Amino acid sequence: MNAEKRDRLATILISGGAIFAGILVILFLLYLIVEGLPQLSWHFLTSASDSFSTNGGIRDQLFNSFYLVVITLIISIPLSLGAAIYLSEYAKDNLFTRSLRLAIEVLSSLPSVVIGLFGYLIFVVNFKMGFSILAGALALTILNIPLLTTNAEQALRQIPYLQRQAGLGLGMTKWRVTKDIVIPAAFPSILTGAILASGRIFGEAAALIFTSGQSSIAVSYSNWNPFDPTSFLNLMRPAETLAVNIWKLNTEGLVPNAQAISSGAVAVLILTILIFNVSARLFSAYISKKLGK
């Protein structure tokens, strides 16, 4: 077999494998969405869950998931961006920076359940936060810092060095070049990475079972005082998320229609994550078009 035939055969095998894997993923997603769509309704999305009747919804779990995404990003983006700026703009290639990169790689490969158990021991038990939104957000911050840091560092490194030299040549300090030239130029890619990370946060369950808890208290959505235990903005209340609710329904659901509620919640979860991912790609394409790339 000559080189041309081998190349054609390899192309067919690789393309066939990719198409087969893509079809499997699409069929799996379609099955979950089609199975859950009949359960979706305005009542289902806006009603509180009920452990014993068939009329419950996912209102609180849905809000808790979005709230955790916001709190986690508020904590993790500044930390990740700071680490990325240091590694990209200031760090020298030495033992410390190599160790730091290795630690980021190791942390990114840890199972989320390990992060959850760590969060339980440190935040829930040692820091006495209890099962709370804040404990869950801190655990998710640990889980997402490697992803966000790597994405932000790559975005910063993609900015041509000539732009930095131009700023330094005009007498700007290194920090001002980074702040006024490098970060604004890399901002679209950094924001795209943050949106993609939001989807991962939204669908996380294992880390939150041990930190934010498996139940939710009754809260008032008209109470805007974050220090009131009954406020929906309170960070120290337990908060069952959508992903945790799906896990709970499939393991110990007591309601007669637990499977139907779970299917509906899965459809909402998948559609929301799809919205996160599609939004990130559309935003990236829009920014690239505006910048003429």
Side-chain angles (χ1 to χ4, degrees), residues 70-194:
V70 173
I71 299 301
T72 302
L73 291 180
I74 288 174
I75 299 172
S76 58
I77 286 179
L79 295 174
S80 302
L81 185 57
I85 291 172
Y86 170 74
L87 291 171
S88 173
E89 306 299 319
Y90 293 92
K92 298 179 180 179
D93 186 17
N94 52 35
L95 180 61
F96 173 73
T97 55
R98 288 195 292 270
S99 300
L100 184 58
R101 293 182 192 280
L102 178 62
I104 292 174
E105 292 175 5
V106 171
L107 189 59
S108 66
S109 63
L110 284 179
S112 57
V113 66
V114 175
I115 302 296
L117 289 171
F118 174 82
Y120 173 76
L121 292 173
I122 300 300
F123 305 127
V124 176
V125 177
N126 286 358
F127 289 172
K128 302 186 185 305
M129 294 181 182
F131 293 111
S132 62
I133 291 175
L134 183 58
L138 291 172
L140 290 179
T141 295
I142 296 173
L143 189 65
N144 281 276
I145 274 182
L147 173 66
L148 291 171
T149 300
T150 302
N151 171 78
E153 183 185 359
Q154 290 176 350
L156 293 171
R157 288 186 180 278
Q158 287 175 357
I159 306 305
Y161 189 69
L162 281 175
Q163 295 189 22
R164 296 172 173 83
Q165 287 183 318
L168 293 172
L170 292 172
M172 299 171 67
T173 62
K174 187 174 182 63
W175 166 242
R176 190 175 175 189
V177 169
T178 302
K179 178 174 66 74
D180 295 339
I181 297 177
V182 179
I183 294 178
F187 179 75
S189 297
I190 295 172
L191 185 57
T192 299

Side-chain angles (χ1 to χ4, degrees), residues 206-239:
L208 296 177
I209 291 172
F210 302 102
T211 51
S212 64
Q214 304 175 38
S215 62
S216 296
I217 62 172
V219 296
S220 170
Y221 288 92
S222 60
N223 185 351
W224 291 80
N225 180 7
F227 301 104
D228 192 318
T230 62
S231 171
F232 70 104
L233 294 176
N234 187 278
L235 293 176
M236 303 311 296
R237 63 179 177 86

Side-chain angles (χ1 to χ4, degrees), residues 13 106 234 240 244 256 260 293:
L13 290 175
V106 171
N234 187 278
E240 180 185 45
V244 173
K293 294 182 179 179

Side-chain angles (χ1 to χ4, degrees), residues 36-55:
L37 280 179
Q39 315 302 327
L40 300 187
S41 65
W42 183 249
H43 175 79
F44 180 73
L45 295 174
T46 59
S47 298
S49 61
D50 194 317
S51 301
F52 303 102
S53 78
T54 59
N55 295 320

